[in-house]
Amino acid sequence: AASMGYVALAVTYVAGYLFLVFVAICLACGLYYLAELCEEYTSLTKRVIYWAIIAILIEHVLLLVFERLPWQLVLLGMGSHCCYFQLLKSFPFLQLSSPAFLLSCVAVAVCTYGWVAHFASDYHSPAFVLGFLLANCWLVPFAFFISLSVNESVLPSNQHLGASQAFSEPGARRGKTQSGILSVFDFFRSKKEELMPGLTKKV
């Protein structure tokens, strides 16, 4: 078989990096949309997280009974999701310095390391490993991460500040105050408008 030349190799690398950029943009848009939904439907978000934890705990029981997996890791996963129940009690108020939050962060890291070490000892496809980790280690923590914007927007001081700005500042927009990861995306969007004002206006 003929080897690839420098031109084909350069095009392949450039196309690969462009693909990664497009994937990052799509993920950012998806995160922004999910954060908006969490702020709009706080009670629904709490119910979704609750039933996700229940489903994953049931799945861990099935793994413990029917699969030949390390029982220590399965029990560790069940314990970590029980920690998430403690976070859910005060949802959407999440204290980042609380013992429950810190213990949940440690549980995520330990579970991820344990399962990665287990799968590294016996070959599995990357898609299988990522899918397993997403369902059993990352799904609920990711939901709490998205909900951090809700944690700030529902604070009484934040709501009072937004209301006072809406009524005291003439011509102020009466929408809700963006917070959390939404403010991060708004920051990058404002920088884009500053750097490319002509493109923003055309679009």
Side-chain angles (χ1 to χ4, degrees):
S3 60
M4 294 178 59
Y6 290 109
V7 175
L9 194 62
V11 170
T12 302
Y13 276 108
V14 170
Y17 285 121
L18 286 176
F19 175 76
L20 293 178
V21 171
F22 291 150
V23 170
I25 293 174
C26 292
L27 288 176
C29 293
L31 286 175
Y32 187 90
Y33 181 68
L34 289 175
E36 284 278 6
L37 289 179
C38 289
E39 283 198 6
E40 287 288 340
Y41 306 101
T42 306
S43 300
L44 178 61
T45 301
K46 183 176 182 178
R47 288 197 298 270
V48 169
I49 296 176
Y50 173 82
W51 286 111
I53 296 175
I54 293 295
I56 294 174
L57 285 175
I58 294 174
E59 185 238 353
H60 274 71
V61 173
L62 296 177
L63 290 177
L64 197 61
V65 174
F66 295 106
E67 300 292 337
R68 301 181 64 180
L69 293 172
W71 61 269
Q72 299 93 334
L73 291 177
V74 177
L75 292 180
L76 180 62
M78 296 177 69
S80 65
H81 283 80
C82 291
C83 292
Y84 306 149
F85 266 129
Q86 299 300 316
L87 290 179
L88 203 60
K89 289 181 179 179
S90 60
F91 187 87
F93 300 101
L94 299 177
Q95 297 292 332
L96 303 185
S97 59
S98 64
F101 184 85
L102 297 177
L103 185 60
S104 299
C105 293
V106 173
V108 174
V110 173
C111 283
T112 302
Y113 175 79
W115 284 116
V116 169
H118 167 71
F119 289 125
S121 62
D122 187 15
Y123 176 77
H124 293 80
S125 65
F128 175 85
V129 176
L130 289 176
F132 187 92
L133 292 176
L134 176 63
N136 296 283
C137 299
W138 300 337
L139 185 62
V140 175
F142 179 75
F144 279 113
F145 171 74
I146 293 296
S147 304
L148 286 178
S149 59
V150 184
N151 184 36
E152 296 181 10
S153 64
V154 298
L155 291 176
S157 58
N158 231 2
Q159 294 176 349
H160 176 72
L161 179 61
S164 61
Q165 289 177 346
F167 286 103
S168 62
E169 297 180 5
R173 185 172 61 90
R174 295 179 181 267
K176 62 182 180 183
T177 304
Q178 300 292 340
S179 57
I181 60 175
L182 293 181
S183 60
V184 175
F185 288 118
D186 286 338
F187 171 78
F188 285 113
R189 184 171 58 184
S190 63
K191 290 301 180 182
K192 182 201 70 172
E193 293 174 354
E194 292 177 6
L195 294 174
M196 298 180 294
L199 179 62
T200 305
K201 292 179 181 179
K202 290 180 181 179
V203 175

